[in-house]
Amino acid sequence: GEGKKKKKKKKPKKKKAEQSDPPRVGLSKLFPDGNYPEGELQEYKDDNAYRTTSEEARYNERMAMEDPEQTYQSIRRAAEVHRQVRQAARKYIKPGMSMTQIAEYIEDGTRALVEENGLESGVGFPTGLSLNNCAAHYTPNAGDTTILQQGDVLKVDFGVHVKGRILDSAFTMAFDHTYDKLLEAVKAATDTGIREAGIDVRLGEIGAAIQETMESYEVEVGGKVYPVKSIENLSGHSINLYQIHGGKSVMLVKNDDQTKMEEGEYFAIETFGSTGRGRVIESGDCSHYARIYDAPRVPLRLTSAKSLLNTINKNFGTLPFCRRYLDRIGESKYLLALNHLVAQGIVQDYPPLCDARGAMTAQFEHTILLRPTRKEVVSRGDDY
C-alpha cells in the first residue's frame, strides 16, 4: 500500500464572522475589506433631477470618494455601528430598567463595534434618553436612579464618529399604544424633511414642509384630543468634522431662512413633536457639555480648571461629553472646574430641554449626505 497517494485534508472553510448578542464584535471583523453598506439612496427632485446622470456630478462624486478627508466609508462605518447597536437596543430596552443601565448598554456596544480609539473613532456624543415632556439633552449623571416606566415615552438619541465624521440618529419608544399617533406624526415629519432636503434647497422651505406634515396629526389621550405641534425652538443641523452643530439649522416650523443646503454637506434631519405648547425650556440637572469650537484663549486662574481642560482636549476634543464620561476616565470632584470653564466661555453646557409638564414629546432623526449625484440617508436601516 506504499504507492497509495495520501488524501489531502480539506481545509475547513473559514467561518464568516457574525455579530454577537449583545453586539460586541468590532466592524473590522465583519467587514474586513473596509467597505461598509450604503444608506438609502434618494434621487434629487425638480431642478436637481439632472444630477443623477450628469457627467460632471458623477466626476465630482468620484473625486469626493477618493479624498481621504471626505471619505464616505468613515460615515458609513459609523452608520453601520449605529444600525447594529440600535437594533439590539430596541429589543433590549424594557420598562423596569434604569436609565444608567440603558445608556451603558448602548455606549458599551458603540465602543466595541466602532473599535474605540481615542479621537480616531468612538462615541459621537452622550446617549440621550429624554423622557415624556423632556425632548432632548438628558442622560443620567452618577447616582441617578430614574427607572423606565410602562407609560413613558422615551427618546433614544446617540451618535457614533469615525475620524470626526459624526453619525447622528434617534428614535422614540413607547410601551403602550396611547401615543402611537404622536410617534407616527414625528416619523412622517422626519421623512418629509429628508424628502425635501437637497442641494440648493432653502432651509426655511424644509421647515414649512416639516410643520405641515407634523401638524396634520392629533393624539387622543384619556378621551381628550391634542394636536401634535412641531417644537418651534428645536431644529435639525449641519454636521462638520468633529463638530455636531455645524452652523446651519433646519427649523421645524415655517420660517424665512434663505440659507441653502450645499453639495457635500452632512445634515442631521431631526424632528420633534409635542402634545404640549410646542416650545422647550431648559430644566433640570445638566449632564451634556462640549468644548466650544472657536473658544477664546482665556488665562485660567483655577489649576483644577486647567487640568480638566487638558483632559477634555485629550479625550473629547470638540465632541460633546457628559459627566459619566468624566467619571469613567477617572476624573473626580470636577464640578467646580467644569462650571468655571462654562463661565469662561470655553465649554458650553447643554441642560435638558423640556416642554410643559404633562406634555409628551417624540423625536426621530437621520443623517443625510448630499452627494453630487443623489442624497444618501446614511443612517437608515430596516428598522426605521
Side-chain angles (χ1 to χ4, degrees), residues 137 282 284-292 320-321 323 335 338-339 341-343 345-353:
H137 294 171
E282 294 180 354
D285 272 358
C286 190
S287 52
H288 287 52
Y289 299 85
R291 199 190 86 211
I292 294 167
F321 60 93
R323 279 152 60 173
L335 264 183
L338 186 55
N339 290 334
L341 293 174
V342 170
I346 296 166
V347 167
Q348 178 69 53
D349 55 345
Y350 295 94
L353 298 168

Side-chain angles (χ1 to χ4, degrees), residues 41 51 70 177 224 244 252 269 296 333 353 355 372 374:
L41 298 178
R51 287 177 170 275
Q70 174 67 25
H177 296 296
K224 194 173 174 201
I244 186 66
L252 315 183
I269 301 293
K333 297 181 179 158
L353 298 168
D355 202 324
R374 44 171 71 92

Side-chain angles (χ1 to χ4, degrees), residues 193-194 197-198 261 265-269 366-370 375-379:
I194 291 166
M261 290 183 158
E265 285 185 322
Y266 292 87
F267 275 89
I269 301 293
H366 278 299
T367 297
I368 64 169
L369 165 56
L370 299 180
K375 62 188 153 194
E376 183 175 340
V377 190
V378 239
S379 52

Side-chain angles (χ1 to χ4, degrees), residues 135-136 185-186 189-194 203-216 228-237 249-257 268-274 278-280 361-365:
V186 181
T190 299
D191 288 343
T192 296
I194 291 166
L203 299 178
E205 290 166 14
I206 302 173
I210 286 170
Q211 183 174 21
E212 188 179 344
T213 299
M214 182 86 76
E215 298 189 352
S216 66
V228 178
K229 293 179 184 168
S230 276
I231 298 184
E232 63 183 50
N233 57 337
L234 290 176
S235 63
H237 47 91
S249 294
V250 185
M251 300 303 291
L252 315 183
V253 291
K254 190 178 181 195
N255 63 90
D256 297 327
D257 190 348
I269 301 293
E270 61 181 318
T271 74
F272 295 84
S274 173
R279 187 171 183 82
V280 290
T361 61
Q363 171 196 21
F364 282 90
E365 173 180 28

